[in-house]
Amino acid sequence: MAKRAKRLANQLTNQLKNETFLERLHQFEGSISKLLSVGMVIVILAIVFDLAVVLVRAIFTTAPGAFLGQTVIDIFGLFLTVLIALEILENITAYIQKHVVQVELVIATALTAVGRKFIILDLAKVTGTTLIGLAIAIFALAISYWIVRVSHR
């Protein structure tokens, strides 16, 4: 029994050595990244299905001339949601390939998300403070994107 406990202690000690531990940590990160990518594919498929349902309903149930307005804004919001989800999947894929978070891609995704918010925004229900906050967010993200782009050249 003591021999077995000593062997287990040695195995545990070996697993906690820097190289082995970092290798296990890397394997864990890879597994989680792959799990996230599979989950993102499921989310994208669900969003595309929802978009198709909304689009078909809008085409067949909206009165002529009434399609423009809130219906189109809702559809644009769903299209942009699909694009944002694809960009997130691209972020995960890039991480799996290079094991580095690509800041430029993350900022571009954030810009798309805030831009989507602006497009679907109901101006009648939003305060001026919210608009100013969104404008500042877009401005800050645009400057961040520009800085990252310039620094990569």
Side-chain angles (χ1 to χ4, degrees):
M1 190 73 161
K3 223 178 189 182
R4 185 172 181 215
K6 187 174 181 177
R7 190 176 71 224
L8 285 173
N10 284 339
Q11 286 177 343
L12 182 61
T13 303
N14 286 337
Q15 290 297 317
L16 293 176
K17 288 183 180 175
N18 283 346
E19 293 170 6
T20 307
F21 182 77
L22 289 174
E23 182 181 327
R24 298 291 178 253
L25 195 56
H26 184 70
Q27 289 171 345
F28 175 75
E29 287 176 348
S31 298
I32 295 298
S33 298
K34 290 171 186 171
L35 188 63
L36 285 173
S37 65
V38 169
M40 206 61 216
V41 168
I42 293 168
V43 168
I44 290 169
L45 291 172
I47 296 169
V48 168
F49 178 77
D50 192 38
L51 172 62
V53 168
V54 168
L55 193 57
V56 168
R57 268 195 201 138
I59 289 171
F60 290 112
T61 62
T62 305
F67 191 76
L68 295 176
Q70 192 59 42
T71 305
V72 168
I73 291 172
D74 292 343
I75 292 170
F76 284 171
L78 284 171
F79 270 101
L80 287 172
T81 301
V82 172
L83 289 177
I84 292 165
L86 287 171
E87 287 180 13
I88 292 170
L89 181 60
E90 189 175 338
N91 287 334
I92 296 168
T93 303
Y95 182 79
I96 291 171
Q97 291 172 342
K98 300 176 184 174
H99 301 287
V100 174
V101 175
Q102 294 184 346
V103 177
E104 186 177 335
L105 199 53
V106 172
I107 295 171
T109 304
L111 268 168
T112 305
V114 177
R116 176 194 175 277
K117 183 69 176 172
F118 255 121
I119 289 172
I120 66 168
L121 205 59
D122 185 0
L123 294 175
K125 297 178 181 176
V126 176
T127 65
T129 309
T130 301
L131 286 175
I132 291 170
L134 285 171
I136 291 170
I138 286 182
F139 186 67
L141 286 167
I143 289 173
S144 300
Y145 187 78
W146 178 75
I147 289 170
V148 170
R149 291 281 295 187
V150 168
S151 69
H152 282 148
R153 288 185 186 162

